[in-house]
Amino acid sequence: MIIDLTRNIHKGMPFIPFEEAINIEPSNFPGFPEVAISSFKAFSHIGTHIDAPYHFIPNGKKIHEIDVNRFVGKGHLIDLSDKKRELVVLDDMPKTTIEKGRIIIIYTGMAKYWPKPREQHTELSEEAAKHLLQYEPKMIGADSLALDFVKNNFKAHKAILGADVPIIEDLVNLGKLIGKTFDVMAFPLKIDGLEASPARVLAKLHLI
Amino acid sequence: MIIDLTRNIHKGMPFIPFEEAINIEPSNFPGFPEVAISSFKAFSHIGTHIDAPYHFIPNGKKIHEIDVNRFVGKGHLIDLSDKKRELVVLDDMPKTTIEKGRIIIIYTGMAKYWPKPREQHTELSEEAAKHLLQYEPKMIGADSLALDFVKNNFKAHKAILGADVPIIEDLVNLGKLIGKTFDVMAFPLKIDGLEASPARVLAKLHLI
């Protein structure tokens, strides 16, 4: 069973922090008026998206340079959705070991506040980020619009991207993963030189 | 082992048929000059991409409406790369049965002519397309920039999209799939209302 963890991108959706995050230009194919054809302009961090190390690390990998083996892996959910915190701290992290090489997904519960996500913006502390990095995750994702932001001085971003680990943001449907074992497939576009890209992210539930 | 079947999207790349198919606008985050942040404008059919039925079928599914179960499946390669044809005809199709529900990939060899792909543009005939549809594929893909085009009056596009089967175009690295069994993961963005989207497409080789 496959679950879509991707937010539907549409004009007027909330995001951080730029105007006109998505614009679609519908058109027609010359001579074939029945053919729908379009262009779109997108903020690289619109909707569910992946940050490459280069977003914060000047010599870090850009989105087209990330090893594709990072995009597919066993998932590990950390469910903090009932905690309603502004900052996820070290004490919120699981006391048990996480298997190395997982795609770690933090369910802050923030996505529940959509379309007013800033009413409960949950950020990851630097200490919690560093705790997770010891398990060498392929990626770290969350349902927050930004894993951390100005208030936290982007310390979690810098720690994770500085360890060459991409970040997935604005995931949806994470509640469907509670108590399940699952694989994650999180694919950004391959656009030369970008620091991030909108992504399609699916989870495949294990039935046993 | 995972193989990237996705073309790297960059400014100035060949495509069909519009100008300025990709434009990247690098910027900085206000107050944080070290943070790379960008927008991009893309033709929805730039590079490796997926056509939704709506591209040719006015009441067909748009890209955000496609069932995600179509995006992951066992692959089946049809290798025509040594035939060098303008039109792939019914007689080029495999004589043996293809298992239902596969993601069928046609290796025309056209990608070898990059960056002058039009020197050997290979199109799929309507008869060949209809032959493949009897096997109820999840998707049909190829390394051609367009599965068929004006010369063929888009008959293959219309047959396949009319059967509610999405099309993947401009795949690369298909030679690495010859003689292999593999799964395909082909993910478009989830942008509301588009008739197509750039996609990330990976193959996972089976080791036995």
Side-chain angles (χ1 to χ4, degrees):
Chain A
M1 185 176 160
I2 292 177
I3 295 174
D4 196 350
L5 306 183
T6 318
R7 188 176 298 288
N8 196 27
I9 296 174
H10 61 88
K11 219 169 149 58
M13 66 190 287
F15 56 94
I16 289 178
F18 293 84
E19 297 308 312
E20 196 167 45
I22 181 77
N23 193 23
I24 296 169
E25 296 178 13
S27 182
N28 290 98
F29 192 89
F32 292 80
E34 77 278 17
V35 180
I37 205 151
S38 65
S39 292
F40 63 97
K41 183 179 174 183
F43 176 47
S44 300
H45 305 252
I46 183 77
T48 308
H49 66 279
I50 295 177
D51 288 350
Y54 178 66
H55 184 28
F56 278 87
I57 311 297
N59 60 351
K61 286 194 183 72
K62 297 176 179 176
I63 200 77
H64 68 293
E65 295 171 328
I66 299 172
D67 180 354
V68 296
N69 288 289
R70 287 192 182 268
F71 299 156
V72 181
K74 290 182 185 175
H76 184 101
L77 187 76
I78 299 175
D79 178 17
L80 305 173
S81 60
D82 58 353
K83 295 211 172 181
K84 215 175 169 177
R85 295 195 186 294
E86 282 192 22
L87 193 69
V88 171
V89 297
L90 185 57
D91 201 44
D92 295 318
M93 292 293 99
K95 308 306 175 211
T96 52
T97 298
I98 297 174
E99 199 180 308
K100 287 192 175 177
R102 296 280 179 127
I103 294 174
I104 297 177
I105 305 286
I106 305 165
Y107 182 28
T108 71
M110 183 179 155
K112 296 178 190 171
Y113 294 87
W114 193 265
K116 293 185 174 177
R118 293 180 206 199
E119 292 192 1
Q120 177 61 35
H121 196 261
T122 305
E123 307 197 354
L124 191 69
S125 68
E126 183 179 19
E127 293 70 24
K130 287 186 171 171
H131 177 83
L132 295 178
L133 287 170
Q134 71 179 302
Y135 302 118
E136 300 170 14
K138 285 187 171 182
M139 296 201 271
I140 294 177
D143 57 337
S144 20
L145 284 194
L147 206 54
D148 69 340
F149 205 61
V150 175
K151 195 171 58 182
N152 199 39
N153 206 21
F154 297 113
K155 285 181 189 167
H157 270 90
K158 288 174 183 169
I160 296 169
L161 298 176
D164 200 32
V165 175
I167 294 171
I168 318 170
E169 292 170 325
D170 200 11
L171 290 162
V172 300
N173 286 332
L174 296 185
K176 296 182 180 176
L177 302 178
I178 294 172
K180 302 289 200 302
T181 59
F182 57 95
D183 295 324
V184 176
M185 298 167 282
F187 293 8
L189 296 182
K190 191 172 183 179
I191 302 182
D192 204 276
L194 291 189
E195 85 290 348
S197 169
R200 192 65 179 257
V201 184
L202 306 182
K204 186 174 183 181
L205 297 188
H206 298 184
L207 298 180
I208 50 162
Chain B
M1 184 179 164
I2 292 178
I3 295 175
D4 197 348
L5 307 183
T6 317
R7 187 175 299 288
N8 195 27
I9 295 173
H10 60 88
K11 220 168 148 56
M13 67 191 285
F15 55 94
I16 289 177
F18 293 85
E19 295 309 312
E20 197 167 43
I22 182 77
N23 193 23
I24 296 170
E25 295 179 15
S27 183
N28 290 98
F29 193 88
F32 291 81
E34 77 279 17
V35 180
I37 204 151
S38 65
S39 293
F40 62 97
K41 183 179 173 184
F43 177 46
S44 300
H45 304 252
I46 184 77
T48 308
H49 66 279
I50 295 177
D51 289 349
Y54 178 66
H55 184 29
F56 278 87
I57 312 295
N59 60 351
K61 287 195 184 72
K62 297 175 179 177
I63 200 78
H64 69 292
E65 295 172 327
I66 299 172
D67 179 356
V68 295
N69 289 288
R70 287 192 181 268
F71 299 154
V72 181
K74 290 182 185 173
H76 183 102
L77 186 76
I78 299 174
D79 178 17
L80 304 173
S81 61
D82 57 354
K83 294 211 172 182
K84 215 175 167 177
R85 294 194 186 294
E86 283 193 20
L87 192 69
V88 171
V89 296
L90 185 57
D91 200 45
D92 294 318
M93 292 293 99
K95 308 306 177 212
T96 51
T97 298
I98 298 173
E99 198 180 308
K100 288 193 176 178
R102 296 279 180 125
I103 294 175
I104 297 176
I105 306 285
I106 305 164
Y107 183 28
T108 70
M110 182 178 154
K112 296 179 191 171
Y113 294 86
W114 193 267
K116 294 184 173 177
R118 292 180 207 198
E119 292 193 359
Q120 177 60 32
H121 196 263
T122 305
E123 307 198 354
L124 191 69
S125 68
E126 183 179 18
E127 294 70 26
K130 287 186 172 173
H131 177 82
L132 296 178
L133 287 170
Q134 69 179 305
Y135 303 119
E136 299 170 16
K138 285 186 172 183
M139 295 200 272
I140 295 177
D143 57 336
S144 19
L145 283 194
L147 206 53
D148 67 343
F149 205 62
V150 174
K151 195 171 58 181
N152 200 38
N153 206 23
F154 297 114
K155 284 180 190 167
H157 270 89
K158 287 175 184 169
I160 296 168
L161 298 176
D164 200 32
V165 174
I167 294 170
I168 319 169
E169 292 171 325
D170 200 10
L171 290 162
V172 300
N173 287 332
L174 296 185
K176 295 182 180 176
L177 302 179
I178 294 173
K180 302 289 199 303
T181 59
F182 57 96
D183 295 324
V184 175
M185 299 167 282
F187 294 7
L189 297 181
K190 190 172 182 179
I191 302 183
D192 204 277
L194 290 189
E195 86 289 348
S197 169
R200 192 65 179 257
V201 184
L202 306 183
K204 185 173 183 181
L205 297 188
H206 299 185
L207 298 180
I208 51 162

